[in-house]
Amino acid sequence: MILSTLSFQAGSEVLVTDINIPDMFNIITGHNLTPIPISVNKYTLNMSPAQVEAAITPATKAILITHLFGGIMETEAILAIAKKHNLIIFEDCAQAYAGNTYVGNAESDVVMFSFGFIKTNTAISGAMVKIKDPALCAEVAARNGDYHQQGTAGYFKKLFKVLFVKLLTNKTIYTGFYNLVMAWGKDFEEVLDGFTKGFPGDDIFKQIRHQPSISNQRLLRKKLANFDQHSITKRVQLAHDILSNIPDNYKIGFENKRHTYWVMPVETNDPDGLIRHLRSNGFDASQKASSLIKLGKADMAPHPQELTLENLVYLPVYPAMSRNDRHKLTQLLVDFPLVK
């Protein structure tokens, strides 16, 4: 809605954090704009201000900052660059919602939060967008008002899908479903990915151009009003409990000063081996816990400290994990040669 309202000239460029879900890049290209990728440091989860400055051309109109994995990117220097070049700043906080821990930089033009299926404080679907300029906000609100409203039936269909995935958290049901999928000859992780993918299909605009149903809006308001801020404290403590004895260079974002650990990836040169190692000991690790992709430059090899996705393994962690399970998972990671 905001890109449609701003109506940048076709061919204009948007500097983007180079890792995001494919739909975010598709929305940009769908408005006849060109996303220009800026890499992320895997230890800090920050973009380099120098790289951002160097990438700006006369065609650049905006910068999309994406906070990854629950880490909060340092934005002050990038905001200063944007102000100098009269660029719009978008903050994509889909993975960074943590109650009042971070509400976006007050100087950002647009701050966006997602409350989709697997997000913190999920309302199954829905979003919250903060727009600094009152005139732009009014235009976007009017555009939103022209969209049709999603029916209750469509929302309840999502709720039933969530109920099924919740049932899979029972080990017996999970094992039975896993064996059934294997008997079908399907890729189990791809089947699970189908349940959690927010916008299936090829036409992203058809999927998102509607107002959330009244039921969705009510649930979202309730979740926002009753968010348990202590849950973030517990999540950070969980991460510290598990990662504290693992060498730093195996951990993604360990230098990020405001990490809230929405997910907890580790890096290894043998992701398949690590997944087998953990699963054989009762921990369902995965490489497909996220639909993120990397928008790369084919002619450039990644810098050693550049965040890539190929060697990440997402750990199966949750705040209710027992102390014994936390210790066991840590020991399994220590015992496995994460980097050969």
Side-chain angles (χ1 to χ4, degrees):
M1 290 188 294
I2 296 167
L3 289 180
S4 296
T5 302
L6 291 170
S7 192
F8 293 134
Q9 182 179 353
S12 295
E13 297 173 350
V14 180
L15 306 189
V16 299
T17 305
D18 67 346
I19 292 176
N20 211 319
I21 62 171
D23 291 326
M24 289 295 284
F25 301 133
N26 292 339
I27 288 170
I28 292 171
T29 58
H31 285 84
N32 297 313
L33 307 174
T34 302
I36 305 298
I38 307 294
S39 65
V40 176
N41 183 292
K42 65 183 177 182
Y43 300 133
T44 65
L45 297 180
N46 289 330
M47 293 192 295
S48 161
Q51 289 184 15
V52 170
E53 179 92 57
I56 294 173
T57 73
T60 307
K61 299 299 181 184
I63 302 174
L64 172 63
I65 296 171
T66 301
H67 305 281
L68 295 170
F69 306 142
I72 308 298
M73 190 180 295
E74 296 293 337
T75 58
E76 294 294 342
I78 296 175
L79 278 160
I81 292 168
K83 184 175 182 180
K84 181 173 73 171
H85 295 276
N86 196 29
L87 305 177
I88 299 287
I89 282 281
F90 292 82
E91 278 193 70
D92 174 2
C93 301
Q95 299 186 9
Y97 181 80
N100 58 25
T101 299
Y102 187 70
V103 295
N105 192 304
E107 295 302 313
S108 292
D109 297 286
V110 180
V111 180
M112 307 177 290
F113 292 94
S114 168
F115 300 93
F117 185 8
I118 60 174
K119 298 298 190 299
T120 299
N121 206 28
T122 177
I124 312 307
S125 62
M128 179 172 66
V129 181
K130 297 166 59 180
I131 303 173
K132 183 180 178 184
D133 179 13
L136 177 61
C137 185
E139 289 187 62
V140 172
R143 187 178 294 273
N144 184 57
D146 291 336
Y147 286 164
H148 75 277
Q149 190 161 55
Q150 181 190 40
T152 301
Y155 186 57
F156 274 94
K157 182 179 178 181
K158 293 181 180 181
L159 290 176
F160 281 116
K161 183 168 70 171
V162 170
L163 176 61
F164 177 73
V165 174
K166 178 64 175 176
L167 289 173
L168 291 179
T169 61
N170 178 282
K171 286 189 176 182
T172 302
I173 296 175
Y174 179 92
T175 300
F177 183 65
Y178 175 84
N179 291 333
L180 183 61
V181 170
M182 292 296 100
W184 286 341
K186 303 285 188 179
D187 183 303
F188 185 68
E189 291 200 2
E190 287 186 2
V191 171
L192 284 185
D193 187 54
F195 281 109
T196 58
K197 184 174 174 60
F199 305 108
D202 296 326
D203 188 348
I204 179 61
F205 292 111
K206 184 178 180 180
Q207 300 273 350
I208 64 177
R209 282 179 171 160
H210 63 259
Q211 297 182 59
S213 68
I214 294 297
S215 299
N216 193 172
Q217 293 184 46
R218 286 176 176 170
L219 179 58
L220 180 51
R221 290 192 184 99
K222 182 176 181 179
K223 297 297 290 286
L224 290 171
N226 296 282
F227 181 66
D228 178 11
Q229 191 64 45
H230 187 57
S231 66
I232 302 301
T233 304
K234 292 189 289 186
R235 198 166 71 186
V236 172
Q237 184 59 53
L238 166 68
H240 291 168
D241 288 348
I242 293 173
L243 299 175
S244 58
N245 294 315
I246 299 172
D248 286 340
N249 60 312
Y250 301 160
K251 294 179 283 193
I252 300 298
F254 80 96
E255 291 182 356
N256 188 284
K257 294 180 174 58
R258 293 183 288 176
H259 209 322
T260 63
Y261 298 96
W262 175 65
V263 290
M264 197 185 306
V266 293
E267 185 176 43
T268 170
N269 288 346
D270 185 13
D272 290 337
L274 177 58
I275 289 171
R276 288 193 300 270
H277 174 64
L278 294 178
R279 286 184 176 178
S280 67
N281 286 278
F283 293 95
D284 187 34
S286 172
Q287 273 205 292
K288 297 181 180 179
S290 169
S291 56
L292 294 172
I293 65 168
K294 184 177 176 69
L295 187 68
K297 298 177 181 178
D299 59 338
M300 293 183 64
H303 184 275
Q305 291 192 6
E306 181 178 331
L307 179 63
T308 58
L309 300 173
E310 292 81 2
N311 292 331
L312 296 190
V313 172
Y314 296 91
L315 302 181
V317 294
Y318 47 94
M321 285 181 72
S322 68
R323 185 170 297 278
N324 284 341
D325 279 347
R326 297 181 190 204
H327 176 74
K328 181 180 178 181
L329 180 56
T330 299
Q331 194 59 49
L332 288 169
L333 292 170
V334 170
D335 292 344
F336 187 84
L338 291 175
V339 178
K340 291 185 177 180

